[in-house]
Amino acid sequence: MNIVDVLKHEHQSLKLTVEALQKGFAHPKRKKVFFKGLSKELMAYTQAKQKTIYKQLKAAEEVRSDILASAEEAMLVESLRWQMEDEELSEEEWDAKGRTLCKVLLHHLESEEKDTLPLARRVLDTASLEALGQAFEEEKIRFIACH
């Protein structure tokens, strides 16, 4: 499967997990469970994306600034995810960070689908798109196996 299709599939999965977390805010014990699921999924996704498509697209001069902006947005999501791991946060702080994480992540996924994925189709040939799709899947599996 090519990287565009792989990422669209990943986005659907992440959106469903975000939806579960958003519903879980009303249930103190459930929200932590939903967050752990989102956190693992998000770490694997981000790592694989950084090592595959972002790395490849950063090398393409005509799209570099767009990809750098998208990568910064991804790092903001990762920063919020990491902050939510802090067990000393109050429930109120945790919920605020969680709601912000959900909002920023959903925006990021929409931006990728609207902007980044079409850029990838424009600057990469079919063979590269296929190779990146396979590399993404392999990197994600490797990350999950190590964590």
Side-chain angles (χ1 to χ4, degrees):
M1 195 175 341
N2 73 54
I3 190 67
V4 172
D5 294 335
V6 169
L7 290 180
K8 284 182 178 181
H9 181 269
E10 291 289 322
H11 290 179
Q12 284 303 104
S13 178
L14 283 165
K15 287 174 187 178
L16 289 172
T17 309
V18 165
E19 209 175 280
L21 177 59
Q22 288 173 322
K23 290 177 183 174
F25 281 115
H27 308 282
K29 290 183 181 177
R30 277 182 163 169
K31 67 183 172 188
K32 300 287 180 156
V33 172
F34 291 136
F35 171 70
K36 284 190 184 296
L38 176 62
S39 183
K40 277 186 158 185
E41 189 176 352
L42 193 52
M43 286 190 315
Y45 165 80
T46 301
Q47 181 75 15
K49 188 174 63 172
Q50 293 292 338
K51 288 189 171 188
T52 58
I53 189 166
Y54 276 19
K55 182 178 179 183
Q56 186 85 20
L57 290 176
K58 283 178 187 175
E61 185 67 35
E62 69 263 34
V63 298
R64 182 177 294 127
S65 65
D66 293 318
I67 298 309
L68 289 173
S70 187
E72 284 300 316
E73 197 172 69
M75 290 300 102
L76 175 59
V77 169
E78 180 58 21
S79 174
L80 285 164
R81 187 208 58 77
W82 182 80
Q83 290 173 46
M84 288 178 70
E85 299 281 349
D86 183 353
E87 294 186 14
E88 295 188 19
L89 288 176
S90 69
E91 285 295 311
E92 188 176 42
E93 290 171 316
W94 195 91
D95 285 355
K97 288 185 185 300
R99 285 186 172 86
T100 303
L101 170 71
C102 290
K103 185 177 182 177
V104 173
L105 176 55
L106 289 173
H107 170 75
H108 177 66
L109 297 176
E110 288 172 17
S111 293
E112 274 193 348
E113 288 180 17
K114 182 178 161 232
D115 302 323
T116 307
L117 298 182
L119 289 175
R121 281 199 194 277
R122 189 171 48 123
V123 300
L124 300 172
D125 61 28
T126 303
S128 296
L129 292 169
E130 290 293 328
L132 284 171
Q134 183 173 348
F136 178 93
E137 301 267 11
E138 291 169 1
E139 185 60 40
K140 187 174 173 190
I141 290 167
R142 196 173 11 261
F143 182 87
I144 291 168
C146 293
H147 294 86

